Amino acid sequence: MKVERVELRVVELPLVEPFETSFGREEVRPCILIKAQGDGLTGWGECVAGAGPWYSYETIETAWHVLKDFLIPLALGKAWDHPEEVSREWERVRGHPMAKAGLEAALWDLWARSRGISLKEALGGVKERVESGISLGIQPSVDDLLRKVERALEQGYRRIKVKIKPGWDVEVVKALRERFGEIPLMVDANAAYTLDDRPTLQALDAFGLMMIEQPFRYDDLVDHARLQRQLRTPVCLDESVKSPEDARQALKLGSCRIINIKPGRVGGPSAARAIHDLCVREGVPVWCGGMLETGIGRTHNVALASLPGFTLPNDLSASRRYYRQDLVEPPFELHDDGTLSVPSGPGLGVEVVEERVERATVRREVFP
Ligand code: NPQ
Ligand code: MG
C-alpha cells in the first residue's frame, strides 16, 4: 500500500443538545476528518481533539499542525503492508496521540478495504453487536436528569453514566437510586476532584456504582492508586491513560480496576488494541469511551468494541443521540436489546456521505 494523497478538513456539526461536563459546555462539535487515498482506495479517520485544551492539551489547531508538518509527511509516498508500520514511524513524535489516532484510523480503513475485510475483522473483533450505554451531561436540575435517565432506560440503553462535579454528585446519585433502584449506573468526574474530596468519594462508594471514572487529575496515577485502595467501587481511568505504557503503569500501581479505552485518546487503533490485549492478560475489564464522534469516529469505535475484552457497556450511543444528521449512512440505531450492530462491509462498512461532509466543512487542505 502507498498513501498518495491526504485531505484534512475541519467540520462542525451542531449537537442536538448541549453537552456539559466538569470542564465545560459544548454546543457545536468541531473535529478534524482525515481522508487518505492510495492504490485507488479511500480511508477515513477522525481526530477527536476539541476546540480548546479542556479534556486534553490537544486542540484542533495543535492536531492540524502536527498532522500537516510531521505525521502526514512521514506517511506520504512510503510503501507499507500494515498500518502499524506507518504509525511506528511516528513514535519519534512525542505526545499528540489524538493527531496520530485520526491519521492511523484512516490507514486502518484503507488497509481493511484493500484486503476486502471489515475493520472488525482487521482488528480481530468477534462481536456482531456491541453493548450501548449512554453518557448524560450535567443538567440544569436533578428533575431534568431524572427525565433524561427515564427516557434513556425506555430507549433500551444498557447502562447510565452521569457526569459529576463538586456540588453535583452525592445528592444526584442518591436521587437516581431512589427513583430507579439498582440500574447499571456509573459516574464520570472528568478530573474534578482531589484527595481532599475523599469524604465525597467515600459517600459515593455506598451506592453500588459500576465504577467511578477519572475522579482525579487528568495525568494522575498515584493518587488514584491510593483512592482505589480505599474504595470498594472500581476506579476507571479515562484521561490519565494516553498510551499503552500509561495503561501498564496504571495496572502495576493499582490506579484502577477498569480502563475506558478510546482509540482517539490513546494514539489510534493499534494502541487501543494493545491496551485491550494487556487488560485481557491481566483480567481487567475494558469498555470503549466516546468523544462525541461523528459517524466516522463512531464506526471505528464500534469496530474496536467488538474485540472480546470489551465486556462492559460502551459510550457508543445511537447517532441521533448527538447529531440530527450523521455523516454516514446508515446511521447507528439502537436495537431493542440496547446494542448497536457492528458493520460487516469492507473497511468502515458504512457510506461516508461526502456532500454532508462538504456542507459541514469550515477548513480544508490537501497534501501533497
Ligand atoms: C468522557 N465523553 O468520557 C468524554 C468527555 C468529553 C461521551 O462522556 C469536545 C471535546 C467535547 C472533548 C465532550 C463522554 C467533549 C469532549 C465530552 C470530551 O469523559
Ligand atoms: Mg470520561
Side-chain angles (χ1 to χ4, degrees), residues 80-88 108 111 115 122 270 273:
W80 48 277
D81 292 318
H82 190 274
E84 286 182 342
E85 288 169 38
V86 188
S87 53
R88 224 173 287 130
W108 275 88
W111 183 69
R115 312 191 71 190
S270 304
R273 189 168 62 170

Side-chain angles (χ1 to χ4, degrees), residues 50-98:
W54 317 128
Y55 170 88
S56 128
Y57 63 81
E58 290 187 86
T59 67
I60 301 263
E61 286 297 325
T62 69
W64 190 281
H65 161 55
V66 170
L67 280 160
K68 172 181 169 147
D69 295 321
F70 303 103
L71 305 180
I72 292 172
L74 283 168
L76 276 173
K78 287 219 176 73
W80 48 277
D81 292 318
H82 190 274
E84 286 182 342
E85 288 169 38
V86 188
S87 53
R88 224 173 287 130
E89 300 268 323
W90 306 336
E91 278 171 19
R92 308 196 276 132
V93 176
R94 293 194 178 164
H96 301 282
M98 292 179 174

Side-chain angles (χ1 to χ4, degrees), residues 194 209 279 359:
T194 69
L209 298 171
C279 288
R359 238 182 297 138

